[in-house]
Amino acid sequence: MFLKAYFFILIVKMFKKVVFPMENNNKTQAEIYREERKERLAKAAAKNAKKSPKTMKAKRIAKKVVSIVLAVAIALAAVGGVLNFFDVPEKTIKVSVDGIDTKISLAEINYYYYQSWYQFFSYAQQYESYGEGMGLSMTGFDYTKSPESQEYTEQAAQIAGVALEDLGDIENPTWKDAFTYSAVNQLVYAKYGAMKAEEADIKLADEEIDEIKTQIESIRKTAKEKDYSLDRWLRLNFGAGVTEKLIYNITVESSLASAYFEKVTEDTTASITDEQINAKYEADKDNYDIADIRLYSFSEKIDEKEHEDMSEEEHNAAHDAADAKSKEKAESFLKEVKDEETFINAAKNAILAENKDSKDDADKKTLVEGASYSTLTSYTEDLAKWVYDDARKVGDTTVISDGEGTYYVVMMKELPHKNTTISSSDVRHILVQFPDENTDGTPTSTKDSSGKTTTNITDETKAATKAEAEKILEEFKKNPTEDNFAALAKEKTDDTASAESGGLFENVSDNGQYVEAFTDWAIDATRKPGDTGIVETEYGYHIMYYVQANAETWYLTIQNEILNETLQETVASVIDEYVDSVDTNSFFINWTIKKENKHIGEIILSNT
């Protein structure tokens, strides 16, 4: 920069001499000639007077220096342009990370910065399709603007997950700062995890390496279709310095890191003892217990539109009157309650008094099962305190106000207790799928013009399919072991997705992921390891094998809490020891991110 400025000044001086010569138009030609001759003689005399071997040598050296400096400046400018074109700085300049042998290149930072930005860009763009302004509202990020032009606020930090304090002493942080921190954070975790994986002798399987290569070949195919080389295509999409080799190394490192952290999770889970879990439960039972109650509420509301012309005093009086009416109804309801049956009857009468045509089931409407302390606080804190009071007894009743005009009539059905429901189960299955055609030759399913599928499976077809399932089950019973069931599943199941695992489904729970009949069988509390059965679903008949029940919900909840606490400590130590050692505001990182933002700006223009 200094050399460029220096030669610019010289050029300007020369430019001034050519463009602005002395104004001598008022003098005669003779006068001008005499003055010029006099000036030449004076210069010649001064030149001869100063001429000496030493002076002449110094001037020759000065001329050579100027020539060399000029040549170097031109060369540097040319080389700099060439290096930038081939992304040499991004590939060669690396940033140190304390405690990790390897360094991170600017090209790697570019890649992860792009990924951090693109995640929010795509999310915001997707949400925007639901309505104007939804993208910004849901993500805090304006996908039509560059990251450095958008303020990164506390609200944005809650969405993005990068706290303001993580960004250091930046006076006016922007999304650029958040994405930079996120990029370095992800990169360091990958490096750290890969390093630890190597120490633990964790290696990727050949199949995993082949999958990575397949993904790269897929990108190469896309690049070729666009008439680009792979490296050129990667540079255009991800930024300066991103090459095939870099993508391969990044993917391998991140895969190794995932494998390492998965092992950490498994090892940590295995190390958690029953004593730890029980101690945590005893220390804070209310946090893990559940209770069953009956609950009905009254809340009289005034029509705000009808009362908009009232004075503040009249408005408050109307609210007080509505509040008093709600309280009166709740207390009248409570007087009718003697037991659960009378509670349900009182609720039924209240429902019909509110709407004589209501079809609401009073039993279902008033029953609150498995209510945790935190769940009850969503009604009001006083309700949670009453239910979880140690003095509580089954059958206790009361009226509780939320302080905002709602009154709850509550009855204790079952005292707070451990949530002993099974969190999930592991099962195996062999699917005997319904055929495409019924036994009479008609299709078992048809589609109308709108694409809606209608099932037309006849009883005869169902019977034939079930008979096939029963035949397989009888074959299994000749050697009723889990290994034999898994072998039969690999050979005979029509569910290709689970065939390789021997029909295994782990952690099946009532979360809507599986069809109802399948789930009901899998999570039945009476089930024992080794139990078998046949279940009909819309897909066909499932031959079921019960592997095991996983932990009770209360136990698993505490186990996961201890696990998360331990993992958070690991995360915090990695941040303190490694991530924070990287100066995200350093010259080189800022330089490469500035280039990456320019690249992102071009992408934004082409997509908005």
Side-chain angles (χ1 to χ4, degrees):
M1 181 62 73
F2 172 77
L3 288 174
K4 287 184 179 179
Y6 175 75
F7 285 107
F8 176 76
I9 292 170
L10 289 181
I11 291 170
V12 168
K13 287 183 177 179
M14 292 170 63
F15 180 79
K16 284 183 177 180
K17 286 186 178 180
V18 174
V19 178
F20 304 112
M22 291 179 61
E23 293 185 3
N24 50 19
N25 293 334
N26 293 328
K27 298 180 181 180
T28 65
Q29 286 295 105
E31 289 174 328
I32 292 171
Y33 174 80
R34 282 195 296 273
E35 287 181 1
E36 287 180 349
R37 183 174 181 277
K38 186 178 179 180
E39 186 177 353
R40 285 197 302 272
L41 290 173
K43 286 182 178 179
K47 183 177 180 181
N48 290 331
K50 293 180 180 179
K51 190 179 291 185
S52 70
K54 189 174 181 179
T55 303
M56 294 298 292
K57 182 178 180 181
K59 287 192 174 184
R60 285 197 300 272
I61 293 173
K63 286 181 180 180
K64 287 183 180 180
V65 169
V66 170
S67 299
I68 291 171
V69 169
L70 180 59
V72 168
I74 294 171
L76 284 175
V79 170
V82 171
L83 292 179
N84 272 321
F85 180 80
F86 289 105
D87 303 333
V88 172
E90 285 81 4
K91 296 174 185 176
T92 57
I93 297 175
K94 298 188 176 182
V95 180
S96 297
V97 181
D98 290 350
I100 299 179
D101 291 338
T102 187
K103 294 182 177 181
I104 56 179
S105 69
L106 299 184
E108 289 174 303
I109 293 173
N110 280 347
Y111 174 82
Y112 278 99
Y113 182 91
Y114 173 90
Q115 296 287 28
S116 297
W117 163 78
Y118 187 75
Q119 182 182 30
F120 274 84
F121 174 83
S122 57
Y123 282 163
Q125 199 172 40
Q126 181 181 347
Y127 283 124
E128 193 69 13
S129 65
Y130 297 122
E132 187 176 353
M134 286 296 292
L136 178 61
S137 174
M138 296 298 291
T139 65
F141 182 70
D142 188 340
Y143 73 96
T144 66
K145 295 181 180 178
S146 61
E148 73 273 20
S149 68
Q150 301 184 60
E151 181 185 4
Y152 188 71
T153 63
E154 184 65 50
Q155 183 180 3
Q158 291 176 2
I159 299 173
V162 176
L164 288 172
E165 54 266 28
D166 290 337
L167 304 181
D169 298 327
I170 300 177
E171 189 173 345
N172 297 302
T174 65
W175 276 88
K176 183 264 297 183
D177 301 308
F179 290 150
T180 302
Y181 179 85
S182 178
V184 171
N185 194 46
Q186 293 177 65
L187 185 48
V188 171
Y189 268 102
K191 297 283 186 183
Y192 171 83
M195 177 185 74
K196 289 295 185 180
E198 184 178 356
E199 291 175 5
D201 199 29
I202 296 173
K203 294 180 173 61
L204 297 182
D206 292 341
E207 294 80 8
E208 292 175 289
I209 295 294
D210 289 341
E211 177 62 26
I212 293 172
K213 291 179 179 178
T214 299
Q215 291 172 0
I216 290 175
E217 288 307 310
S218 176
I219 301 173
R220 191 192 310 279
K221 182 180 178 182
T222 301
K224 188 176 181 180
E225 290 172 355
K226 302 292 183 180
D227 201 24
Y228 284 99
S229 67
L230 177 57
D231 282 353
R232 181 63 175 158
W233 180 251
L234 292 172
R235 183 183 192 275
L236 285 172
N237 282 275
F238 297 106
V242 180
T243 62
E244 175 183 355
K245 182 179 179 181
L246 184 79
I247 291 288
Y248 178 82
N249 289 339
I250 281 176
T251 309
V252 168
E253 282 181 347
S254 61
S255 298
L256 284 170
S258 295
Y260 168 72
F261 284 116
E262 185 176 334
K263 184 176 186 303
V264 169
T265 301
E266 291 173 355
D267 291 348
T268 303
T269 302
S271 70
I272 298 171
T273 65
D274 290 346
E275 288 75 15
Q276 284 177 281
I277 292 172
N278 286 321
K280 197 171 179 66
Y281 169 76
E282 292 296 332
D284 192 10
K285 289 183 179 181
D286 287 356
N287 192 37
Y288 306 110
D289 281 347
I290 58 172
D292 297 345
I293 61 173
R294 291 282 176 184
L295 192 68
Y296 194 85
S297 65
F298 293 92
S299 181
E300 293 289 325
K301 302 294 183 184
I302 66 170
D303 190 327
E304 296 292 344
K305 287 186 177 180
E306 290 183 5
H307 295 79
E308 61 185 359
D309 294 330
M310 285 185 175
S311 65
E312 184 177 351
E313 185 177 342
E314 290 173 327
H315 195 268
N316 290 338
H319 275 289
D320 290 342
D323 185 276
K325 191 173 182 180
S326 297
K327 183 179 180 181
E328 181 183 354
K329 286 184 176 182
E331 290 175 343
S332 296
F333 183 107
L334 184 62
K335 289 177 181 178
E336 298 178 39
V337 176
K338 307 299 178 187
D339 51 28
E340 269 200 89
E341 184 179 354
T342 53
F343 191 105
I344 295 169
N345 286 334
K348 183 177 181 180
N349 292 334
I351 291 169
L352 293 175
E354 200 67 34
N355 178 8
K356 65 179 181 178
D357 298 321
S358 176
K359 302 298 182 183
D360 285 351
D361 186 326
D363 185 3
K364 290 182 179 179
K365 186 169 183 177
T366 61
L367 181 60
V368 180
E369 292 183 296
S372 64
Y373 189 98
S374 60
T375 299
L376 295 177
T377 58
S378 65
Y379 296 96
T380 171
E381 181 79 23
D382 288 342
L383 175 60
K385 288 179 179 178
W386 184 87
V387 171
Y388 278 81
D389 191 323
D390 290 339
R392 203 81 296 122
K393 293 182 179 62
V394 172
D396 284 355
T397 58
T398 192
V399 171
I400 295 174
S401 169
D402 70 351
E404 297 180 1
T406 299
Y407 287 82
Y408 297 99
V409 185
V410 57
M411 168 180 269
M412 199 73 220
K413 176 177 171 63
E414 186 174 359
L415 295 174
H417 57 280
K418 286 180 178 177
N419 187 354
T420 56
T421 56
I422 300 302
S423 58
S424 64
S425 300
D426 296 344
V427 298
R428 292 184 185 273
H429 87 131
I430 299 171
L431 173 63
V432 181
Q433 198 169 18
F434 289 127
D436 293 335
E437 291 185 351
N438 287 303
T439 53
D440 61 3
T442 60
T444 53
S445 64
T446 57
K447 284 186 179 181
D448 60 20
S449 58
S450 65
K452 182 180 178 181
T453 301
T454 303
T455 302
N456 305 298
I457 304 172
T458 64
D459 290 341
E460 290 78 9
T461 301
K462 284 186 177 183
T465 308
K466 187 175 182 180
E468 187 179 344
E470 288 171 339
K471 184 178 178 181
I472 295 173
L473 181 57
E474 287 304 313
E475 183 180 350
F476 161 74
K477 287 180 178 179
K478 294 175 183 177
N479 178 21
T481 64
E482 184 179 351
D483 287 344
N484 184 38
F485 192 96
L488 286 171
K490 287 183 178 182
E491 179 187 351
K492 298 180 179 296
T493 188
D494 289 328
D495 179 15
T496 55
S498 67
E500 188 61 32
S501 65
L504 181 63
F505 281 98
E506 296 179 299
N507 300 311
V508 178
S509 63
D510 190 14
N511 59 6
Q513 186 175 351
Y514 307 94
V515 290
E516 187 176 354
F518 185 97
T519 301
D520 288 346
W521 193 95
I523 65 173
D524 187 335
T526 64
R527 206 68 65 207
K528 298 289 189 297
D531 282 357
T532 57
I534 295 178
V535 174
E536 180 188 343
T537 71
E538 61 190 271
Y539 302 104
Y541 286 94
H542 303 258
I543 307 163
M544 306 292 293
Y545 180 91
Y546 193 79
V547 178
Q548 65 178 7
N550 294 316
E552 293 179 350
T553 300
W554 74 273
Y555 186 98
L556 189 64
T557 299
I558 297 176
Q559 185 183 56
N560 284 335
E561 281 187 10
I562 296 173
L563 171 64
N564 289 334
E565 288 167 3
T566 305
L567 294 180
Q568 283 172 6
E569 289 174 5
T570 301
V571 169
S573 66
V574 173
I575 291 174
D576 291 342
E577 192 170 351
Y578 304 106
V579 177
D580 286 349
S581 72
V582 180
D583 181 10
T584 55
N585 294 312
S586 69
F587 169 80
F588 286 119
I589 290 180
N590 271 318
W591 175 79
T592 197
I593 294 301
K594 185 176 181 180
K595 284 183 65 178
E596 186 66 11
N597 277 328
K598 184 178 179 181
H599 164 242
I600 285 172
E602 293 168 355
I603 296 174
I604 293 172
L605 283 175
S606 65
N607 282 273
T608 57

